[in-house]
Amino acid sequence: MGRITARKPVVKIRLGVGETRRPDTLAVEEPLEIRVGGAPLVVTMRTPGHDVELAAGFLVSEGVISRGDEFRTAIHCGGPGTGGAVAGSGENTYNMLDVALAPGVPAPSSDITRNFYTTSSCGLCGKASIDAVETVSAYDVSGDAVRMDAAALARLPDELRAHQAVFDKTGGLHAAALFDAASGELLVLREDVGRHNAVDKVVGWAVLEDRLPLRGTVLQVSGRASFELVQKAVMAGIPVLAAVSAPSSLAVELADASGLTLVGFLRGESMNVYSRADRIAVPEAAGV
């Protein structure tokens, strides 16, 4: 689409050297309005690209769908208020996406009591949020027999970083990647200005490939592990979530309650395992 990055002028200052003027490459951030059957559902700020995956993954996170055959089609729409290149031009800027669900799949409810658990900043927390995710999720990740060697897990952040093409240009994008736990194979990687969007795009890829639930996989993310990311993993049936930075307290509580393996501070040859450490195989010589 050609809108993932943008060039903007910048003044670079170096102490003792002075200033220079040059163009800088930035990650694009634009709003996307997701509609279902023509009815507005949500507006999210995202990096353009893989919008259909983003919408499909979001619907999984919301508990609207749980299988690939429940997602029918999606089309970008133009029209008033969508922000054409020239105001009032009517040009399709691809910032509105209308999703059609399969026949018989209920449309998402606008009832806030159904949606209150969707973010860690929604004003509710603790047991109410955890119970909501456990109630809505179609998959039980606690029963997944996945097991992964600690050394193989430690290689995932480098693998993630090596495939962040847009980050190399901008330094401003989060990434999420899905790996096969048995082989360590990279299945899919997505980048976005929002870490939650990157994960939704990964899950959405699985929806379009009809691969849900994502048993036997590891979701590797480039930043911290929030409650929201654990929620998205549980809703997609992903049994292992690994992050290069810290988890939040509520993320650990949800992971523990759901039976998801949560790994944080995965850097170099060390990691912290906050829940279901039995899934991580550690060589005897490295044990404590």
Side-chain angles (χ1 to χ4, degrees), residues 28-70:
V28 169
E29 182 177 27
E30 293 181 359
L32 175 70
E33 179 179 324
I34 299 173
R35 297 186 172 194
V36 177
L41 178 63
V42 68
V43 175
T44 184
M45 300 302 296
R46 97 302 190 196
T47 299
H50 303 289
D51 287 344
V52 176
E53 293 178 351
L54 172 59
F58 179 81
L59 292 176
V60 171
S61 297
E62 287 288 289
V64 177
I65 62 174
S66 59
R67 302 190 313 272
D69 61 6
E70 294 178 331

Side-chain angles (χ1 to χ4, degrees), residues 2 6 16 44 60 75 90-91 93 98 114 123 131-132 189-190 233 251 264:
T44 184
V60 171
I75 185 171
E91 179 181 339
T93 56
D98 194 9
R114 191 195 68 82
D131 286 348
L189 182 146
R190 295 290 182 259

